[in-house]
Each structure stands twice: as C-alpha cells, then as structure tokens.
Amino acid sequence: MVTKRTTAVLLAVALVIAACSATADSTTSNPPSTVAHTTATQLSTTSTLVVTSTTSLPPTTTAPQTTTTTTTTTTLAPTTTAPPRPTTKPPTVKHTVEQLDFSNTPQMVAVKPGDTVIWVNNGLSAHDATSGADPTPDGAWASPVIQPGESWSRRFDTPGTYPYFCTLHPGGMPGRIVVEG
Ligand SMILES: [Cu+2]
C-alpha cells in the first residue's frame, strides 16, 4: 500500500517538473531570435551612413583651397601696379636767358634745385656763358661758343649763387644764377 502511494506521488512530481521545464524552454528560446534580427537591421543602417559621410568630405575640403588662392592673386596685382606712376612724374622746369649784343636778359635768374637754365643767342654776335666773374673763369662750368640763333642749357642741382660772364666781349655781359635751397 505504501509503495503504491509513493510511486503515484513521484509520478505526479515528475509530471509537474516536466511541464515546468517545457514552459521554461519555450519562453527562453523565442526572444533571442527576435533580438538577432533587430541587431542585423541596425548594423546595415549604420554601414550605409558611414559611406555617405565619407563621400561628402572631399568636396568640402577642396572648395576652400581654390577660394584662398584666387583672393591672394587679386590683392597683389593692384599693389604692384601703383609704384611705377610716381617715378615717371618729376617735371623739368626750364628758365631762359636771352643773349643780345651785349647783355644777358634777365641778368639774374632764380631757380630751384634740379631746374635747367637755357641761354638763347638772339644777337648778331657769338657769345658764351662762363662761370666766374669777368674776366676770370672759376672753372665750375662753361658753355661752348653760342652762335647767333643757337642755344645751350645747363641743369643746376646744388643751392647757391653762380655768377657768370661772356669771355668774348669787353665788360663780360655779367649775369647770375641763384639756386634757392
Ligand atoms: Cu658775348
């Protein structure tokens, strides 16, 4: 009697355990397969995003380099063009002394450093213009003989007073060039 009851209880317990283990297996095995699909989908989406971002980088890097080169070239051109203009501007100021028989007119000429004096012989005789006081040349400068109708010029750069005369005629036709500082 006791053995039959014990066997019945053991069978009942075995059935309960078997039922519980079967339920546990089915519950545990389903979720992992679902998770696996979700992960696969996420990976494929991520790989697509990486390819897209890599393709967009090269154009962004190339554009700034081209713009910088163009700006530098445009700025240099006007700066290089400006300097040559002042170099060609220095004006030449000329002063005329008329040589007659027998005087220089005007007798005194005031000039600025760098100016040029031109002696024009409008007389009937030949004359010259020689630095110094009649009758002694000082050797600073001297014109050749200036024939009637001809002229001769000299540039004066250093401030000072420069007397001159004509070596061909008595009295020397005295004149004076004053270079103002
Ligand atoms: Cu003379």
Side-chain angles (χ1 to χ4, degrees):
M1 293 292 286
V2 174
T3 300
K4 287 181 181 180
R5 286 181 183 175
T6 301
T7 300
V9 170
L10 289 174
L11 285 174
V13 171
L15 286 173
V16 170
I17 291 174
C20 288
S21 65
T23 302
D25 288 343
S26 64
T27 303
T28 304
S29 62
N30 284 332
S33 64
T34 304
V35 171
H37 287 298
T38 303
T39 302
T41 304
Q42 288 175 344
L43 286 175
S44 64
T45 304
T46 302
S47 65
T48 301
L49 288 175
V50 171
V51 171
T52 304
S53 65
T54 302
T55 305
S56 64
L57 282 176
T60 306
T61 305
T62 304
Q65 290 176 347
T66 303
T67 304
T68 302
T69 302
T70 303
T71 303
T72 302
T73 303
T74 305
T75 304
L76 287 175
T79 305
T80 306
T81 306
R85 293 181 178 177
T87 307
T88 59
K89 278 189 173 180
T92 299
V93 178
K94 297 180 179 178
H95 306 265
T96 300
V97 174
E98 184 180 33
Q99 294 186 308
L100 297 173
D101 304 323
F102 296 89
S103 65
N104 286 293
T105 303
Q107 200 170 46
M108 191 278 285
V109 177
V111 306
K112 297 290 185 184
D115 289 359
T116 296
V117 177
I118 303 172
W119 283 265
V120 179
N121 186 349
N122 287 331
L124 298 177
S125 301
H127 301 288
D128 66 28
T130 299
S131 179
D134 180 53
T136 307
D138 63 15
W141 51 272
S143 76
V145 173
I146 306 170
Q147 297 295 338
E150 296 182 347
S151 64
W152 177 79
S153 63
R154 183 180 191 277
R155 172 174 164 157
F156 290 83
D157 291 318
T158 305
T161 299
Y162 302 89
Y164 69 92
F165 66 101
C166 175
T167 62
L168 303 178
H169 294 103
M173 300 167 54
R176 192 161 42 118
I177 307 299
V178 177
V179 182
E180 302 170 336

